[in-house]
Amino acid sequence: MIDIHTRKQQNLAVFGLGASGSAAAKALAASGAIVAAWDDDGDSRRRAAGAGIPLVDLYGCDWSRMDALVLSPGIALTHRPHRLVALARGGGC
């Protein structure tokens, strides 16, 4: 697994828990980041929970406490950004 030591002890939101997002969440948590992960799809959330990925409903989280938002590939950041991108930006993340 990739060691992402530069994110140790950071509060990181991960959105999108398909293969890439789940791998990112696992690598970040294993590297010492404090991960809060979410997916709009209930089946993806169940699989992630079964894999030990900590779930937090990012639509209701305190974005001012997050250091960064990690988006799974395929989730829009700039062109018609996903609603969570606006929430994160609004909270200073």
Side-chain angles (χ1 to χ4, degrees), residues 5-84:
H5 65 277
T6 57
R7 296 297 183 174
K8 188 174 184 174
Q9 297 302 312
Q10 289 189 356
N11 291 299
L12 302 176
V14 176
F15 183 68
L17 294 171
S20 297
S22 292
K26 288 178 190 176
L28 289 164
S31 299
I34 302 150
V35 173
W38 193 252
D39 195 295
D40 288 340
D41 180 70
D43 288 336
S44 293
R45 289 193 307 267
R46 281 187 283 284
R47 281 191 298 276
I53 296 171
L55 298 177
V56 172
D57 184 347
L58 296 178
Y59 291 99
C61 78
D62 182 355
W63 284 101
S64 68
R65 295 179 181 257
M66 292 293 174
D67 294 303
L69 169 61
V70 178
L71 293 175
S72 183
I75 297 178
L77 173 64
T78 56
H79 181 70
R80 294 186 187 162
H82 191 279
R83 183 175 147 214
L84 274 177

